[in-house]
Amino acid sequence: MKVLAERLIERDVSLRPFNTFGVDANAALYARIRSLEDLQRVLADRRVLGMPLLILGGGSNVLFTQDFDGCVLKVEISGVQRADDGVRWRVQVGAGENWHALVERLLDDGVPGLENLALIPGSVGAAPIQNIGAYGVELAERFHSLQAWNFATQTLQTLTADECRFGYRDSAFKHETEPRLIVNVTFALPRQWAPVVGYTDVENELRERNIQQPRPRDVFDAVVSIRRRKLPDPARVGNAGSFFKNPVISRAQRSALIERHPSLVSYDIGGGRYKLAAGWLIDACGLKGTVRGRAAVYDKQALVLVNLGGASGADILALAREVQEAVLARFNIELEPEPRIL
Ligand code: EPU
């Protein structure tokens, strides 16, 4: 057992290849977790005992601003298993599988339902943590359950959607002090497929392509081309998708804002609450395309911060603070970062 743990754990590892911002930071210890057994071996290793732990999936929702003096657990658990109860497909997927590859693979196998979430960077195990969403679909709507290793009780737990407490880019996993490691996720995908095409961008894209009755592949293609146009490819320009959440405000707040800013973009989310497009707010401050050293506000989508190459996490964080201050000064709205800042 000891010998195996020796091989699983590395010392002083650069995390640059393991975060889509492409910033440099070192981990004191780094372990690749390919199974529950790997995890148990690593956790029992004397070098790891008592150390802070950091669970890392695809590294697409994290900003490292300093070295990590603990053990990174890089989740690489693989595997896709499918069952069919006549009404829906149940698909259990290892947490380390790549999200987009899963979406495409299921589509190829005739199992649609995740196509609106195409091209979201990151791993399957990270998807429930921030309840990924795009173009009218959230992970929560396609979710059945997940299995997670509880570090405190040292047991494998099964959690239902209710227990995950999904919200807008939010879940129970974002609020716990004692972390759990998601081992696999089970999706429930209805066999009766209906396209979700109400989102303006998707509607327009399909119209331009002259598609009236979209098949799953059409929706997938539309989403992929919209994302390619608007969002930077992390393989070429370091980024973590939207850097801020879209803020939610009351009807009264919205009315007051609209009076002064008639072109404000907002969405009615029910219950007298409105979601504002943070990208619009940042854009309206004239910050789109702003460059500070090697960090920048992406020039095609102001909600995305990018590493032009060679930026540090601190550089990107400083730019984020500048954006937050500008939006606060102009609109009296506090933007909340979406990625984990470490
Ligand atoms: N807008 C501007 N200027 C900008 C950017 C946006 O005026 O620079 C306006 C757009 O014209 C549009 C509105 O703001 O009217 C919303 O923009 P968009 O449709 O691009 O979506 P978003 O609200 O900026 C959200 C998600 C994205 C997701 C898209 C599509 C959040 C924080 N972001 O972005 O998710 O792909 O909707 O559903 O909810 C992510 O979470 O990393 C992410 C990319």
Side-chain angles (χ1 to χ4, degrees):
M1 215 151 114
K2 263 227 164 94
V3 178
L4 257 169
E6 285 298 325
R7 272 200 278 139
L8 289 173
I9 302 167
E10 293 169 62
R11 259 179 214 287
D12 228 355
V13 171
S14 166
L15 297 174
R16 177 181 275 175
F18 308 119
N19 72 95
T20 59
F21 257 125
V23 300
D24 212 6
N26 271 15
L29 296 175
Y30 175 91
R32 296 170 69 171
I33 308 296
R34 294 198 190 84
S35 64
L36 201 51
E37 292 70 40
D38 281 357
L39 177 64
Q40 284 160 342
R41 278 185 203 115
V42 168
L43 294 177
D45 189 274
R46 71 195 147 68
R47 290 165 296 174
V48 176
L49 285 173
M51 273 233 169
L53 300 173
L54 174 68
I55 303 162
L56 200 58
S60 59
N61 206 43
V62 55
L63 178 62
F64 292 111
T65 60
Q66 55 186 39
D67 289 340
F68 181 65
D69 193 20
C71 183
V72 166
L73 304 173
K74 175 77 164 70
V75 182
E76 296 184 356
I77 300 167
S78 61
V80 179
Q81 276 161 19
R82 235 168 61 201
D84 177 358
D85 66 9
V87 182
R88 58 183 71 83
W89 287 285
R90 288 265 175 89
V91 192
Q92 188 181 77
V93 188
E97 293 282 349
N98 174 270
W99 175 264
H100 178 72
L102 172 73
V103 173
E104 199 161 25
R105 171 174 172 181
L106 289 177
L107 215 52
D108 286 344
D109 291 351
V111 181
L114 299 178
E115 55 284 343
N116 292 58
L117 304 174
L119 224 57
I120 295 182
S123 65
V124 167
I129 297 175
Q130 58 154 338
N131 184 20
I132 58 170
Y135 305 106
V137 174
E138 271 185 358
L139 171 115
E141 298 163 64
R142 304 285 185 267
F143 179 90
H144 177 268
S145 60
L146 60 76
Q147 287 190 300
W149 179 259
N150 184 317
F151 290 81
T153 59
Q154 301 197 20
T155 51
L156 190 65
Q157 300 178 318
T158 300
L159 280 88
T160 62
D162 277 353
E163 289 166 322
C164 291
R165 299 203 308 274
F166 291 121
Y168 165 59
R169 294 296 189 278
D170 199 27
S171 74
F173 301 98
K174 277 196 163 181
H175 304 282
E176 53 194 12
T177 41
E178 190 67 42
R180 285 182 278 208
L181 185 144
I182 295 172
V183 173
N184 60 55
V185 181
T186 301
F187 300 90
L189 305 170
R191 296 205 50 148
Q192 281 281 19
W193 179 83
V196 179
V197 291
Y199 204 94
T200 319
D201 276 354
V202 179
E203 225 166 41
N204 291 343
E205 185 72 26
L206 290 170
R207 190 174 319 115
E208 266 164 42
R209 291 166 179 235
N210 237 326
I211 296 168
Q212 271 106 32
Q213 284 178 321
R215 293 159 303 146
R217 183 52 78 165
D218 298 322
V219 178
F220 175 89
D221 290 342
V223 168
V224 165
S225 83
I226 297 164
R227 290 190 76 99
R228 289 230 163 96
R229 225 169 28 233
K230 282 197 166 181
L231 298 166
D233 175 2
R236 289 164 46 201
V237 183
N239 77 92
S242 299
F243 195 88
F244 301 101
K245 290 190 188 185
N246 284 329
V248 174
I249 60 170
S250 67
R251 180 173 294 140
Q253 281 173 297
R254 175 177 172 269
S255 306
L257 275 171
I258 293 250
E259 229 168 81
R260 284 192 288 138
H261 311 281
S263 56
L264 182 89
V265 178
S266 66
Y267 315 93
D268 187 346
I269 56 168
R273 313 286 291 162
Y274 291 81
K275 196 182 271 181
L276 297 183
W280 184 93
L281 298 173
I282 299 167
D283 202 353
C285 291
L287 289 169
K288 196 189 234 174
T290 299
V291 178
R292 294 282 180 264
R294 305 302 296 155
V297 179
Y298 191 52
D299 56 7
K300 295 193 194 87
Q301 167 42 302
L303 198 48
V304 178
L305 301 186
V306 295
N307 177 1
L308 298 172
S312 68
D315 295 337
I316 291 163
L317 190 59
L319 177 59
R321 300 270 184 259
E322 186 182 334
V323 168
Q324 283 173 311
E325 277 160 29
V327 169
L328 185 64
R330 192 173 162 87
F331 298 103
N332 196 28
I333 290 201
E334 279 184 46
L335 292 184
E336 189 190 329
E338 190 184 272
R340 262 192 309 169
I341 296 168
L342 295 163

